[in-house]
Amino acid sequence: MQIIIKNPLEQFEILDLFSISTSLLGYRFVLTNLGLYIIIITVLSCCISIWITSENNKLLLHSYGSIVLESIYATILQMVRNQIGSYNEKYLSIIFTLFIFILFNNFTGMVPYAFTPTSHLVLTLSLSIAVFIGVTIIGFKIHKLTFFSLFIPTGTPLGLVPLLVAIETISYTARAISLGLRLGCNIIAG
């Protein structure tokens, strides 16, 4: 049996795999290949992490997998400490989880003709916008109204404040969109 691919972009198509229609609510629930890959990658990454961390719990020497996982964790911990301070290590778990999720999704792109979920802007933009909204909420919770001082550089003349606030607001909002676009476009480009 020979598999023929007519178009190299076929691997990026989102296809319906399973569908359930409910007449009571009027909704149609669909499982696509994007959703299936996300579910598989999430379960696989959780299983691998649990397997690596519980494999040699009682031994002094760890396996290569646990050393790799601990090295990734230590690297992300150091980045969190450098970027947001050691007093904000409470956000390390969400940052580490996002990193592992994106890493495993990108690794599927290394498999020939595999579907890569991060090549779709719907996933990358939703992740970046969710993180953007979360960071903004945390910023308002911690800094209250002084959060707006982020949009006004120190020593700005009063006449330029409205213009700079508009420019900085656009820049702050565009950051969420650009991060999602860059990830998706880099994966699409290979």
Side-chain angles (χ1 to χ4, degrees), residues 106-126:
N106 290 345
F107 277 160
T108 60
M110 307 284 279
V111 178
Y113 303 109
F115 183 83
T116 310
T118 48
S119 67
H120 289 276
L121 298 179
V122 68
L123 176 65
T124 58
L125 283 174
S126 62

Side-chain angles (χ1 to χ4, degrees), residues 17-80:
L17 301 177
F18 181 73
S19 176
I20 298 175
S21 296
T22 60
S23 59
L24 180 65
L25 300 173
Y27 290 108
R28 181 174 170 241
F29 298 99
V30 178
L31 178 64
T32 62
N33 53 350
L34 175 63
L36 180 65
Y37 267 83
I38 289 173
I39 291 168
I40 290 170
I41 289 168
T42 302
V43 169
L44 184 66
S45 62
C46 289
C47 289
I48 289 174
S49 294
I50 290 169
W51 176 65
I52 285 173
T53 55
S54 66
E55 181 181 5
N56 294 320
N57 269 343
K58 305 217 184 320
L59 297 176
L60 183 61
L61 298 174
H62 293 287
S63 66
Y64 290 118
S66 64
I67 292 171
V68 169
L69 192 64
E70 288 174 13
S71 298
I72 292 171
Y73 182 83
T75 302
I76 293 174
L77 175 64
Q78 191 61 39
M79 282 194 291
V80 166

Side-chain angles (χ1 to χ4, degrees), residues 124-136:
T124 58
L125 283 174
S126 62
L127 283 174
S128 66
I129 290 172
V131 169
F132 168 76
I133 290 170
V135 166
T136 304

Side-chain angles (χ1 to χ4, degrees), residues 71-105:
S71 298
I72 292 171
Y73 182 83
T75 302
I76 293 174
L77 175 64
Q78 191 61 39
M79 282 194 291
V80 166
R81 286 181 178 163
N82 290 340
Q83 296 295 319
I84 60 176
S86 59
Y87 54 91
N88 284 321
E89 285 182 18
K90 57 187 171 189
Y91 305 115
L92 179 65
S93 60
I94 186 69
I95 295 169
F96 182 73
T97 303
L98 276 172
F99 178 81
I100 294 296
F101 179 74
I102 292 171
L103 180 72
F104 274 67
N105 276 298

